[in-house]
Amino acid sequence: MKIAFLTPEYPHSKTGASGGIGTSIRNLALGLISQNCEVRVLVYGQKVEGAFLDEGILIQQIRNVKIKGLSWYLTRKKLERIINDLHKAGQINLVEAPDWTGISSFIQPKCPLIIRLNGSDTYFCHLDQRPVKWFNKYNEKRALQKADGLLSVSQYTADITNTVFGLNKKFAIIPNGVDGNVFSQEATMEQNANTILYFGSLIRKKGLLELPLIFNAVLEKNPEAQLILVGKDVPDIKSGNPSTWQMMQDLFSPQALLKVNYLGEVPYSLIRQQIQKADVCVFPSFAEAFPLSWLEAMVLEKAIVASNIGWAPEMIEDAQQGFLVSPLDHLEFASKVLDLLANPELRKTLGAAASKKVQTHFSANLLVQKNISFYESILKINR
């Protein structure tokens, strides 16, 4: 089977910054290659045209067309031409695109096209309670209506997507996965006592304006606690402030701010080290689909306190593999963090259960077979 992924991002130094979509594509692509599939990743919005191999994955860089007033349409026609030429040459059997901004809405491929929900702009605007651009919503809906196959990383994301677009589509549910062998514990890594870690973008929708208030409450009860922040500082859409980190600093108490260490963006390997050294990982998010960051903390046997919204119970059973709390309930969230900091055995128990949950439900090897079966079913229907 020959599969192409159309994406605006991919985690490689040659392709620029990448978020969860790019990482999930790479994880799946590596799994597909291990099962003798051929994978090509079409990364649009690039500064240069080119191609290179990344551990057996063929990465094709594509520049957008730059003609005033026509760039949007002509870029999609360029992508359509590339996809159809690859299909005609027998180099791809099908193509998968993300739901984000409906990139495939005006692409007419001659091979089956699948859309995987990782959270559209309309979806995240709904969860974040802010207006969505009508053009994005129109294209995202049109792309879903035209697709030959539909996947979602969580049932919650599928249900909300149907609601916000007024659709009644059936989505196959295949969650994101993580390779436990690649993202594995280093036996020699020592933990830093009383360390709380958040890793991910510093952005309102991930609860980063709630986290200072939670940590203030933690520090009142445990003066030894320290908070480590890892991730890109993102401008705040609602206020127009260019820095979420700047907004966060105003919300910490003076004493708490002294106990915060913001490391900024760090390489993937260093994120793993920060996870391993932490006592507790926190994710007070309002808007996710099926976050890889949670899976990465879980597989490394970390005790987690996370949001209790929608997608979360599909990943973690409250008090079984971690604690799920409303991000707005700062005192209860802090209370769960304090319980974990004070109880090493509880941390160990929850962490071990979290890792087992990943291995049995969200391992890359298990999920790649489900993806292959889905692709085969779509190809069979479209022969």
Side-chain angles (χ1 to χ4, degrees), residues 119-371:
S120 63
D121 187 36
T122 306
Y123 170 86
F124 282 118
C125 285
H126 173 80
L127 295 185
D128 210 21
Q129 299 181 349
R130 56 185 172 84
V132 62
K133 294 178 181 178
W134 73 266
F135 195 60
N136 283 353
K137 184 173 183 178
Y138 170 79
N139 283 297
E140 288 171 346
K141 182 175 182 178
R142 192 173 192 272
L144 291 170
Q145 291 172 319
K146 291 170 67 264
D148 298 295
L150 294 170
L151 288 167
S152 178
V153 296
S154 70
Q155 186 63 56
Y156 177 79
T157 303
D159 292 343
I160 294 297
T161 296
N162 270 328
T163 297
V164 296
F165 290 116
L167 298 173
N168 187 29
K169 295 287 188 179
K170 183 177 181 180
F171 293 87
I173 310 300
I174 304 181
N176 290 326
V178 63
D179 187 340
N181 294 321
V182 172
F183 214 86
S184 59
Q185 188 78 261
E186 294 178 17
T188 58
M189 189 66 64
E190 293 185 4
Q191 290 183 221
N192 293 336
N194 294 299
T195 300
I196 304 160
L197 173 68
Y198 167 84
F199 62 102
S201 296
L202 272 58
I203 189 171
R204 181 190 293 263
K205 72 179 183 181
K206 291 183 181 289
L208 270 291
L209 299 184
E210 312 304 323
L211 187 53
L213 305 177
I214 292 167
F215 185 62
N216 291 345
V218 169
L219 200 66
E220 287 182 8
K221 302 287 187 178
N222 183 346
E224 301 303 314
Q226 55 182 320
L227 175 63
I228 307 295
L229 304 171
V230 178
K232 180 181 179 180
D233 184 17
V234 177
D236 184 56
I237 293 176
K238 285 191 175 181
S239 68
N241 194 304
S243 170
T244 299
W245 169 233
Q246 183 183 66
M247 296 172 68
M248 291 174 67
Q249 291 177 69
D250 294 335
L251 297 173
F252 286 109
S253 69
Q255 297 82 6
L257 187 57
L258 294 173
K259 306 285 286 188
V260 179
N261 185 9
Y262 174 40
L263 302 180
E265 292 185 87
V266 304
Y268 202 55
S269 60
L270 295 184
I271 291 176
R272 182 174 67 233
Q273 292 179 15
Q274 290 296 329
I275 299 170
Q276 290 178 245
K277 290 191 292 184
D279 273 343
V280 180
C281 290
V282 291
F283 303 106
S285 187
F286 293 102
E288 302 279 7
F290 203 89
L292 284 172
S293 55
W294 295 26
L295 294 178
E296 290 162 352
M298 290 170 72
V299 79
L300 289 177
E301 301 185 16
K302 288 294 112 174
I304 294 171
V305 185
S307 166
N308 64 353
I309 297 172
W311 68 88
E314 296 183 50
M315 302 182 73
I316 294 172
E317 298 167 274
D318 184 33
Q320 299 299 310
Q321 297 100 25
F323 289 121
L324 302 180
V325 184
S326 167
L328 294 173
D329 194 341
H330 304 143
L331 293 181
E332 179 63 15
F333 206 108
S335 175
K336 296 302 184 186
V337 173
L338 287 163
D339 287 347
L340 290 170
L341 291 177
N343 192 331
E345 284 303 313
L346 179 59
R347 294 200 303 270
K348 184 176 180 180
T349 299
L350 292 179
S355 184
K356 184 177 180 181
K357 179 76 175 281
V358 172
Q359 299 295 347
T360 56
H361 290 79
F362 311 129
S363 73
N365 289 337
L366 172 67
L367 295 174
V368 72
Q369 296 298 335
K370 291 186 177 182
N371 279 279

Side-chain angles (χ1 to χ4, degrees), residues 32-56:
L32 291 168
I33 286 173
S34 74
Q35 298 302 309
N36 299 315
C37 297
E38 294 181 23
V39 178
R40 178 186 296 257
V41 180
L42 307 173
V43 191
Y44 60 91
Q46 293 290 287
K47 295 179 180 179
V48 298
E49 299 273 343
F52 62 91
L53 285 173
D54 177 30
E55 295 190 46

